Amino acid sequence: MAIDLGTANTLVVLKGKGVVLNEPSVVAVVDNKGKKSVLAVGDEAKTMLGRTPGNIQAIRPLRDGVIADFIVTEEMIKHFIKKVHKKTLANPRILICVPTGSTPVERKAIQDSALAAGARRVQLIEEPIAAAIGAGLPISEATGSMIVDIGGGTSEIAVMSLGGLVYSKSLRVAGDAMDTAIVNYMRKEYNLLIGDTTAEKIKKEMGTAIPTGTNTYPVKGRDLRSGTPKEVNITEEDTAEALNDILKEMVNAIKDALENTPPELSADLVDMGLTLTGGGALLKNIDKRFSKETGLPVHVADDPLSCVAVGTGKALDQEETFSTMLSEY
């Protein structure tokens, strides 16, 4: 099985079956007199975020694409293996994708978690390579391919050729940072306190890189002055302003990648352009903004959310073709 162990969502691919599970990377833990036990994982746990009583904690065990809580991550992987295999195959061979910027220690932690969760063997693949395979880019050929994978915790920017990474950068600014930017903007401009779940809803419904519409969206939260619940209406211009600094940082990282790309591959990118994958690729007009600022054609992959998982699954299916791209720690 192949796992896209993401900061926001975990996707599982089974050989020959495609994506069989797509759930939030959230675990609800109950503390019973100092003894902690897992109450819920995935979709069920996500509904509890920010709404739990004192003895229950909804935890996101991954931060910036790496493990923040080893034990909870192990429990989460165990839960997903059981859910997918229904206990018929207790110890599968697992391929997990990791951010390019993760250290050997962080990679070893991911591998150890999966082994402790019952895997027979664990291999790792770098996220942008998996995203490029999933998006159908010709990464094995002697031509330049550029991918920008905007996930929950990290944005992966990479230029590939002949099955390897020519340039790669893991930027710890992505979907979660966008949510935080919206929370901060609402606090600053409207004196309204909202949670991350509400910020994520705003991003999906009204988030844009370039404002084009005049629609308004009602946002409910707590008034910072009076402490009472309040509702305000925001526009696309609000979200564009809130996300501007995050998008600027991403554009600068893309420009850095282009500056560090050999001239022959740069020539390929003029025609090929760059491909966007990950949940962040669904932000309205993000392709237009990146194209305007880089001068390159920008394409959004067909199914950006599952590109990394699908690519990891393909690498597992065609192990002989992609064997040089897989590693173990």
Side-chain angles (χ1 to χ4, degrees):
M1 64 193 276
I3 301 179
D4 171 13
L5 197 63
T7 308
N9 294 292
T10 295
L11 285 84
V12 176
V13 175
L14 278 188
K15 211 169 182 176
K17 288 187 181 175
V19 178
V20 290
L21 182 137
N22 180 357
E23 290 198 23
S25 306
V26 183
V27 180
V29 178
V30 61
D31 190 343
N32 193 2
K33 292 172 186 169
K35 229 178 151 192
K36 289 186 178 180
S37 57
V38 173
L39 182 68
V41 178
D43 288 321
E44 202 186 331
K46 191 175 183 182
T47 58
M48 301 179 185
L49 271 175
R51 300 166 188 260
T52 56
N55 64 328
I56 298 172
Q57 229 184 335
I59 300 167
R60 291 177 68 179
L62 290 115
R63 282 269 163 235
D64 302 329
V66 294
I67 293 175
D69 192 316
F70 190 86
I71 293 159
V72 175
T73 303
E74 186 188 314
E75 288 298 325
M76 186 173 78
I77 296 172
K78 212 179 276 181
H79 172 87
F80 290 145
I81 290 173
K82 272 186 191 167
K83 196 167 183 178
V84 168
H85 284 301
K86 308 278 191 291
K87 294 178 187 171
T88 53
L89 183 67
N91 53 350
R93 183 167 71 85
I94 296 180
L95 179 61
I96 301 178
C97 57
V98 291
T100 49
S102 54
T103 63
V105 173
E106 289 165 343
R107 291 176 187 216
K108 179 105 173 56
I110 289 172
Q111 195 172 24
D112 288 350
S113 275
L115 287 168
R120 180 172 80 248
R121 183 185 176 199
V122 181
Q123 287 174 297
L124 307 177
I125 184 169
E126 300 205 325
E127 223 164 279
I129 290 176
I133 295 168
L137 296 181
I139 61 164
S140 299
E141 295 171 20
T143 178
S145 302
M146 186 172 188
I147 198 111
V148 179
D149 176 53
I150 307 166
T154 60
S155 293
E156 304 287 323
I157 298 156
V159 177
M160 288 154 282
S161 177
L162 290 169
L165 292 168
V166 177
Y167 174 88
S168 68
K169 182 166 185 170
S170 188
L171 197 66
R172 297 204 170 182
V173 170
D176 287 350
M178 289 182 189
D179 296 344
T180 305
I182 291 169
V183 170
N184 293 340
Y185 181 84
M186 295 305 294
R187 179 196 285 263
K188 196 172 89 187
E189 294 296 319
Y190 291 97
N191 279 305
L192 192 75
L193 190 63
I194 60 167
D196 288 340
T197 308
T198 304
E200 193 184 359
K201 264 189 204 159
I202 295 168
K203 180 179 70 182
K204 286 178 179 171
E205 297 291 330
M206 286 294 280
T208 183
I210 301 169
T212 49
T214 53
N215 295 345
T216 60
Y217 182 76
V219 179
K220 299 178 183 78
R222 189 172 86 224
D223 190 320
L224 282 163
R225 288 195 192 110
S226 63
T228 56
K230 179 173 107 171
E231 182 180 312
V232 298
N233 287 312
I234 64 162
T235 63
E236 278 192 0
E237 288 198 353
D238 284 316
T239 56
E241 197 181 323
L243 300 174
N244 189 40
D245 287 347
I246 302 286
L247 295 169
K248 263 189 194 165
E249 207 170 322
M250 287 181 184
V251 168
N252 289 338
I254 292 168
K255 284 180 178 173
D256 280 350
L258 295 170
E259 279 172 20
N260 287 286
T261 302
E264 290 299 328
L265 296 180
S266 294
D268 296 336
L269 296 179
V270 172
D271 301 321
M272 289 276 292
L274 63 92
T275 303
L276 293 179
T277 62
L282 297 170
L283 184 74
K284 190 177 165 187
N285 293 331
I286 191 166
D287 51 343
K288 289 186 181 127
R289 168 96 185 244
F290 285 178
S291 181
K292 187 178 156 191
E293 303 229 13
T294 61
L296 291 176
V298 177
H299 324 279
V300 176
D302 289 342
D303 184 4
L305 278 169
S306 60
C307 261
V308 174
V310 168
T312 311
K314 276 186 187 170
L316 192 68
D317 283 348
Q318 303 163 36
E319 200 183 337
E320 286 172 18
T321 312
F322 300 113
S323 60
T324 56
M325 303 172 199
L326 312 182
S327 61
E328 289 182 55
Y329 277 80

